[in-house]
Amino acid sequence: MPKPTIVTLPGDGIGRTVLDEALRVLGAAGFEANYVESAIGWEFWRTRGYPLPQHTLDLIAEHKIALFGAITSKPKDDAFAELAPELKEKDLVYSSPIVGLRQHFDLDICLRPCRSYKGNPLNFIRRNAEGGVDEPEVDVAIFRQNTEGLYGGVEWSNPPAQVHDALMTHTKFRQNFSHTAVGELSISTRIFTRQATERILRAAFDHARHHGYSSVTLCEKPNVIRETSGMMYKLAQQIQISEYPDIELWNTNIDAQMMWLTKNPENYGVIVAGNMFGDIVSDGFAGLIGGLGFAASAQYNSDTGIGVFEPTHGSAPKYAEYPVSIVNPIAMIEAACMMLDFIDEQTISSRIRDAIAIVIAEGKVQTYDMQRLPGKVDVVDRGAASTKQMADAIITRL
Ligand code: NAI
Ligand code: MG
């Protein structure tokens, strides 16, 4: 087989550090690829006025697979303030290059697995009836619709007259908002299309079937958000009955799900949700398995085969300046494993996950987050592993 070409996007801050370590682990596990690095993120925005260069888009279009570190992102006004002086007259508006990537390549499926490793001191534990503690084994795959809904970007402050007129045709709007001056309205839409909703639902059911999960839980709010969540629930029922009778469909509301998150997380298998609720519920489950040092995600389009794989954490700028990096590289290494799964290199991804599992179970090498130390520069002196030492330990186990 010819070597695949992988586009690497280190981005900002610790993005580069963790990506470099993940590439070392991939190499040590015997994965052979050509890597082409490309730019994305804050530095590009500051100096060029855009955070997502065309060159990066071209490379991803050509090679289809990208490994992404993390970027720095700031609110609109701060973003403008940090622009290079010569760019300030150009009327540039910052927008997230991650959202940009999703929309450009229609990466409508986001998968965030949350699996606990035995022996991870950050695993969620729960008091049981006998007064002892249980450590439930969490193994959840969250499918989040990635391009629509509240993150679709269709929003206004001081909406134009046509938009206001259109809204005035809705009884509820007339009742509740017609007395507010247009200039005092901010509106963010939550648009779901039938096509994208069916795609995320099928991706979830498919994953359940092929990975031995017995249920798919739809986590929305159809009793209140009747149109979008309601459509999703109806479609989920139809798809389950006609295509996946072997998989159970459960339905929970996002708010209740978060309240009960810690009650029985071991009972959930695949979870599927729209964009915002998927974001929330996946962060919630990630907290049960160790948080940002462990959580990874895949964003892909199953028709084009384009996929971008990344840790969930951001660029943690403060940590990027430490002389010895202390952040946990496991989330990025997990992202690399998801990439391997995506390109049918499951033998290698399993080997890497096994090596991570052994290192965690042994408990001798733990980054500062695993030791619950404050993330100060002295944590390595206090017994925590550095980023590199953690990657080395995994490589040794390989
Ligand atoms: P962050 O995820 O960068 O860091 C938050 C805190 O989590 C850190 O201070 C650290 O205590 C911990 N943490 C993060 N990664 C860790 C790791 N690998 N190991 C151990 N601990 C880790 O989020 P924050 O501070 O809210 O944002 C920093 C920048 O990153 C912002 O500009 C934000 O917009 C951006 N961001 C980018 C994301 C991405 O590229 N996908 C996602 C989230 C935030
Ligand atoms: Mg999130």
CSV table of all heavy atoms in Angstrom, one decimal, residues 48-49 80 83 85-93:
chain,number,residue,atom,x,y,z
A,48,ARG,N,-1.6,38.1,8.9
A,48,ARG,CA,-2.1,38.1,7.6
A,48,ARG,C,-3.6,38.6,7.5
A,48,ARG,O,-4.1,38.8,6.4
A,48,ARG,CB,-2.0,36.7,6.9
A,48,ARG,CG,-0.7,36.0,7.1
A,48,ARG,CD,0.3,36.6,6.2
A,48,ARG,NE,1.6,35.8,6.4
A,48,ARG,CZ,1.9,34.7,5.7
A,48,ARG,NH1,1.2,34.3,4.7
A,48,ARG,NH2,3.1,34.1,6.0
A,49,GLY,N,-4.3,38.5,8.6
A,49,GLY,CA,-5.7,38.9,8.5
A,49,GLY,C,-6.7,37.8,8.3
A,49,GLY,O,-7.9,38.1,8.1
A,80,PHE,N,-9.7,42.0,16.7
A,80,PHE,CA,-9.4,43.1,15.9
A,80,PHE,C,-8.2,43.9,16.5
A,80,PHE,O,-7.3,44.3,15.9
A,80,PHE,CB,-10.6,44.0,15.8
A,80,PHE,CG,-10.4,45.2,14.9
A,80,PHE,CD1,-10.5,45.1,13.5
A,80,PHE,CD2,-10.2,46.5,15.4
A,80,PHE,CE1,-10.2,46.1,12.7
A,80,PHE,CE2,-9.9,47.6,14.6
A,80,PHE,CZ,-10.0,47.4,13.2
A,83,LEU,N,-4.7,42.6,15.6
A,83,LEU,CA,-4.3,42.6,14.2
A,83,LEU,C,-3.1,43.5,14.0
A,83,LEU,O,-2.9,44.5,14.7
A,83,LEU,CB,-5.4,43.2,13.3
A,83,LEU,CG,-6.4,42.3,12.7
A,83,LEU,CD1,-7.3,43.1,11.8
A,83,LEU,CD2,-5.7,41.2,11.9
A,85,PRO,N,-0.8,46.4,12.7
A,85,PRO,CA,-1.4,47.7,12.4
A,85,PRO,C,-1.8,48.0,10.9
A,85,PRO,O,-2.8,48.6,10.7
A,85,PRO,CB,-0.2,48.7,12.8
A,85,PRO,CG,0.7,47.8,13.6
A,85,PRO,CD,0.4,46.4,13.4
A,86,GLU,N,-1.0,47.4,10.0
A,86,GLU,CA,-1.3,47.7,8.6
A,86,GLU,C,-2.6,47.0,8.1
A,86,GLU,O,-3.1,47.3,7.1
A,86,GLU,CB,-0.1,47.3,7.7
A,86,GLU,CG,0.2,45.8,7.6
A,86,GLU,CD,1.1,45.3,8.8
A,86,GLU,OE1,1.3,46.1,9.8
A,86,GLU,OE2,1.6,44.2,8.6
A,87,LEU,N,-3.1,46.1,9.0
A,87,LEU,CA,-4.3,45.3,8.6
A,87,LEU,C,-5.6,46.0,9.1
A,87,LEU,O,-6.7,45.6,8.8
A,87,LEU,CB,-4.2,43.9,9.0
A,87,LEU,CG,-3.1,43.0,8.3
A,87,LEU,CD1,-3.0,41.7,9.0
A,87,LEU,CD2,-3.4,42.8,6.9
A,88,LYS,N,-5.4,46.9,10.1
A,88,LYS,CA,-6.5,47.4,10.8
A,88,LYS,C,-7.5,48.2,10.0
A,88,LYS,O,-8.7,48.3,10.4
A,88,LYS,CB,-6.0,48.2,12.0
A,88,LYS,CG,-5.5,47.4,13.1
A,88,LYS,CD,-5.7,47.9,14.5
A,88,LYS,CE,-5.5,46.9,15.6
A,88,LYS,NZ,-4.4,47.2,16.5
A,89,GLU,N,-7.1,48.8,8.9
A,89,GLU,CA,-8.0,49.6,8.1
A,89,GLU,C,-8.9,48.7,7.2
A,89,GLU,O,-9.7,49.1,6.5
A,89,GLU,CB,-7.3,50.6,7.2
A,89,GLU,CG,-6.9,51.9,7.8
A,89,GLU,CD,-5.5,51.9,8.3
A,89,GLU,OE1,-4.6,52.1,7.4
A,89,GLU,OE2,-5.3,51.7,9.5
A,90,LYS,N,-8.6,47.4,7.1
A,90,LYS,CA,-9.1,46.6,6.1
A,90,LYS,C,-10.5,46.0,6.4
A,90,LYS,O,-11.0,45.1,5.6
A,90,LYS,CB,-8.2,45.4,5.7
A,90,LYS,CG,-6.9,45.9,5.1
A,90,LYS,CD,-6.2,44.8,4.3
A,90,LYS,CE,-5.0,45.3,3.5
A,90,LYS,NZ,-4.1,44.3,3.1
A,91,ASP,N,-11.1,46.3,7.5
A,91,ASP,CA,-12.4,45.9,7.8
A,91,ASP,C,-12.5,44.4,7.9
A,91,ASP,O,-13.5,43.7,7.4
A,91,ASP,CB,-13.4,46.3,6.6
A,91,ASP,CG,-14.7,46.8,7.2
A,91,ASP,OD1,-14.8,47.0,8.4
A,91,ASP,OD2,-15.7,46.9,6.4
A,92,LEU,N,-11.5,43.8,8.5
A,92,LEU,CA,-11.5,42.3,8.7
A,92,LEU,C,-12.3,41.9,9.9
A,92,LEU,O,-12.2,42.6,10.9
A,92,LEU,CB,-10.0,41.8,8.8
A,92,LEU,CG,-9.1,42.2,7.6
A,92,LEU,CD1,-7.7,42.0,7.9
A,92,LEU,CD2,-9.5,41.4,6.4
A,93,VAL,N,-12.9,40.8,9.8
A,93,VAL,CA,-13.7,40.2,10.9
A,93,VAL,C,-13.2,38.8,11.2
A,93,VAL,O,-13.1,38.0,10.3
A,93,VAL,CB,-15.2,40.2,10.7
A,93,VAL,CG1,-15.9,39.6,11.9
A,93,VAL,CG2,-15.7,41.6,10.4
